[in-house]
Amino acid sequence: DTGVSQDPRHKITKRGQNVTFRCDPISEHNRLYWYRQTLGQGPEFLTYFQNEAQLEKSRLLSDRFSAERPKGSFSTLEIQRTEQGDSAMYLCASSLEEVYEQYFGPGTRLTVT
Amino acid sequence: EDKVVQSPLSLVVHEGDTVTLNCSYEVTNFRSLLWYKQEKKAPTFLFMLTSSGIEKKSGRLSSILDKKELFSILNITATQTGDSAVYLCVLYNNNDMRFGAGTRLTVKP
């Protein structure tokens, strides 16, 4: 399978704990995006990388959120001190130079109890 | 504030029907309008529309953008149960993507 993969697919955590998600993009894609999707809403942009550089962050990405793409390949999204409002589906996508035609991974569903 | 409004929010049809999904927007400056189909988890790309009045087609799906009246439509003809999904309209400008809430289409056998 050469698509975008995400791990884990589901994560249940207690409020206050830290969680980390991983995204492996399509290998030749140099752009990688993170989105968050809550019930009834479309995916909301969080941040994106061009190779290893984080070029843009949404105002949705609070100080508790950090994303990295250290070698320009896979990326991690960490949420510190999780809150119940962080419960959502976290989607990763990758693309070539142009941002349209992104390829999405299956998502990580986070539930904060 | 920029807005992307999709209508209807949900739609139930029978196989063989033709549907039209609407997307209107109040976005002052954007590069393209994108349509995605979302089944279960991740959105899949359908169309990118940049120019007004030029219809794009892919099989039973077609879409067009009207930059003067600030809307786009997505048509699906001869619907099938596999068309059941949420259809997302997205405005894109320099890596800023504004998503609508989506239209949930259910196609019954």
Side-chain angles (χ1 to χ4, degrees), chain B residues 57-76:
Chain B
K57 294 195 72 167
S58 176
R60 296 176 294 103
L61 277 67
S62 63
S63 184
I64 196 163
L65 172 65
D66 186 328
K67 284 190 169 183
K68 183 179 177 183
E69 300 297 330
L70 307 184
F71 76 91
S72 174
I73 58 172
L74 174 68
N75 279 321
I76 308 175

Side-chain angles (χ1 to χ4, degrees), chain A residues 37, chain B residues 6 8-13 19 21 35-44 46 61 74 76 79-88 101-108:
Chain A
Q37 185 175 19
Chain B
Q6 292 187 243
L9 291 181
S10 66
L11 186 59
V12 181
V13 300
V19 297
L21 310 183
W35 282 96
Y36 285 87
K37 175 183 181 183
Q38 185 166 6
E39 299 171 272
K40 297 182 181 180
K41 296 286 189 278
T44 54
L46 294 176
L61 277 67
L74 174 68
I76 308 175
T79 52
Q80 303 170 356
T81 55
D83 295 328
S84 295
V86 174
Y87 290 84
L88 296 169
T103 293
R104 179 172 295 281
L105 174 66
T106 303
V107 182
K108 293 188 172 182

Side-chain angles (χ1 to χ4, degrees), chain A residues 3 7 19 23 31 33 37 43 45 48 50 56 61-62 66 69 77 83 91 102:
Chain A
D7 182 70
V19 294
C23 171
R31 290 194 174 185
Y33 306 83
Q37 185 175 19
F45 169 77
Y48 97 96
Q50 171 102 356
E56 189 167 341
L61 213 66
S62 76
S66 62
R69 194 182 184 198
L77 178 68
E83 302 172 356
L91 294 166
Q102 297 176 47

Side-chain angles (χ1 to χ4, degrees), chain A residues 11-35:
Chain A
K11 178 70 177 178
I12 300 174
T13 191
K14 292 186 177 180
R15 190 176 55 185
Q17 298 294 306
N18 298 344
V19 294
T20 300
F21 310 141
R22 177 179 170 126
C23 171
D24 287 89
I26 294 172
S27 59
E28 61 267 28
H29 285 184
N30 55 355
R31 290 194 174 185
L32 185 148
Y33 306 83
W34 285 100
Y35 294 87

Side-chain angles (χ1 to χ4, degrees), chain A residues 31 35 37 40 42-43 48 56 89 91 98-102 104-106, chain B residues 31 34 36 38 41-43 45 48 88 92 94-97 99-101:
Chain A
R31 290 194 174 185
Y35 294 87
Q37 185 175 19
Y48 97 96
E56 189 167 341
M89 175 73 80
L91 294 166
E98 293 295 328
V99 77
Y100 60 91
E101 202 157 6
Q102 297 176 47
F104 282 82
Chain B
R31 181 174 173 178
L34 314 175
Y36 285 87
Q38 185 166 6
K41 296 286 189 278
F45 174 82
M48 183 184 73
L88 296 169
Y92 153 54
N94 294 331
N95 302 317
D96 179 23
M97 299 179 76
F99 283 80

Side-chain angles (χ1 to χ4, degrees), chain A residues 53-87:
Chain A
Q54 188 174 17
L55 294 188
E56 189 167 341
K57 293 193 291 185
S58 160
R59 57 182 169 77
L60 294 173
L61 213 66
S62 76
D63 291 345
R64 297 183 297 106
F65 288 69
S66 62
E68 293 183 346
R69 194 182 184 198
K71 296 182 180 178
S73 56
F74 73 92
S75 175
T76 57
L77 178 68
E78 181 183 15
I79 309 174
Q80 296 182 326
R81 305 181 302 281
T82 52
E83 302 172 356
Q84 286 187 316
D86 296 331
S87 295

